[in-house]
Amino acid sequence: MDGFQKHDIDHLSASSINLWSNAPDVWVMQYLHGIRTPMGPATWRGICAEDAVVEILSGGSERQAIDKALAKFDNRFLIGNEATTKERELIEPMVQLAYEHLMEFGKPEFPEDGKQEKISITAKGDGWAIPVIGFLDLVFPQHGVVIDLKTTTRVPSTMSAEHQLQRAIYQKAKGNMGVKFLYVSAKKANMLEDGDVNETLAKAKKQIGRMEAFLRHCDKDTAREIVPVNPTSFYWRGSEDLFDKFYG
């Protein structure tokens, strides 16, 4: 029995691999003990904005899509504060700018169920194999391109290593199509496709191998006791009480 089977982990994703690499203490809590840090207003803003963009590209009304996104955000944060208000105000300009940069691609294609297309590649090592999955934001077969939309307050000039891994997984799975990431703030947008796919996946495989070995040698309580912890990591921002409760 390999480490993944031991802990009933049947797949990985770019986010789980990145979390293991950057914050193993959060990873252990989330993937071995089933406790997640709460979703903050910035993350929820991104979800609401991206939903609106998809609706507009699919033929929906821009005004109605934005209003629905704002209502969805408000339903999540019934009592607003300075942080939620700031993120809410970004939704409309982000949606409008994203649409301006994507409208030339036309209507995206989705599976018959209307959900995002699921992709999967397999990572293999010594005695183990596990699927690495992902879900595609926008697929434009007529242009031969997949575009992942990232809303952000700071548009990068180069993709982060974490996003390069996500793109590499998508590119490996959709080898006959290009994969690009569109970064959109309230005022700026940038389309990027950085990183060598094979090199990025080779580095990820090493991390997955270390993850498997860790899991093979630990039960979940031992993992909790020995994993390095970093309470000052931004991954714990807003969840300091959860850190204290889980790690003491």
Side-chain angles (χ1 to χ4, degrees):
M1 181 181 294
D2 66 42
F4 300 118
Q5 293 170 331
K6 178 179 178 179
H7 292 274
D8 296 322
I9 295 175
D10 59 8
H11 70 272
L12 299 175
S13 64
S15 61
S16 65
I17 298 167
N18 286 326
L19 187 60
W20 163 259
S21 301
N22 297 329
D25 49 351
V26 181
W27 190 94
V28 165
M29 182 184 72
Q30 180 170 319
Y31 288 95
L32 299 189
H33 291 265
I35 302 172
R36 292 179 175 269
T37 54
M39 189 180 295
T43 302
W44 199 246
R45 173 259 296 157
I47 292 172
C48 295
E50 290 164 21
D51 285 351
V53 172
V54 169
E55 182 172 338
I56 298 168
L57 288 172
S58 299
S61 159
E62 179 178 318
R63 185 67 261 161
Q64 289 180 0
I66 291 172
D67 288 344
K68 283 171 63 176
L70 294 173
K72 183 175 181 177
F73 185 90
D74 292 341
N75 286 335
R76 178 75 178 194
F77 301 101
L78 296 176
I79 301 176
N81 55 33
E82 184 177 351
T84 58
T85 300
K86 180 179 178 181
E87 296 299 340
R88 187 185 191 277
E89 291 173 348
L90 294 173
I91 292 175
E92 183 164 351
M94 285 180 169
V95 170
Q96 292 171 333
L97 192 55
Y99 177 57
E100 287 178 18
H101 282 76
L102 291 169
M103 60 188 301
E104 65 179 282
F105 293 97
K107 186 176 180 179
E109 182 178 281
F110 293 98
E112 290 185 2
D113 60 7
K115 298 179 180 179
Q116 292 174 303
E117 180 182 339
K118 179 181 178 180
I119 57 90
S120 178
I121 62 176
T122 301
K124 297 180 180 179
D126 185 13
W128 59 266
I130 190 163
V132 181
I133 70 167
F135 294 89
L136 306 180
D137 281 353
L138 302 165
V139 181
F140 300 99
Q142 65 273 35
H143 296 281
V145 66
V146 174
I147 297 178
D148 195 271
L149 178 60
K150 300 292 187 187
T151 59
T152 177
T153 55
R154 293 184 179 181
V155 173
S157 57
T158 303
M159 292 174 68
S160 67
E162 290 78 13
H163 286 176
Q164 287 185 34
L165 173 57
Q166 185 182 358
R167 192 186 83 83
I169 293 168
Y170 292 176
Q171 186 65 75
K172 187 71 172 179
K174 302 287 288 186
N176 60 335
M177 301 181 74
V179 178
K180 302 180 180 183
F181 279 31
L182 176 63
Y183 293 86
V184 178
S185 71
K187 298 180 179 180
K188 184 179 178 182
N190 197 12
M191 191 88 78
L192 298 173
E193 48 181 330
D194 299 322
D196 181 277
V197 170
N198 292 329
E199 181 180 328
T200 300
L201 292 177
K203 291 179 179 178
K205 181 179 177 180
K206 291 181 180 178
Q207 290 285 30
I208 296 170
R210 298 185 70 85
M211 182 195 298
E212 188 278 328
F214 177 82
L215 294 171
R216 186 164 17 97
H217 287 91
C218 296
D219 58 43
K220 67 177 186 178
D221 292 321
T222 301
R224 179 179 184 171
E225 292 171 359
I226 69 173
V227 70
V229 297
N230 180 10
T232 64
S233 164
F234 78 88
Y235 286 94
W236 289 109
R237 192 173 300 159
S239 301
E240 291 81 4
D241 291 345
L242 183 57
F243 174 87
D244 291 339
K245 182 178 179 181
F246 189 76
Y247 284 110

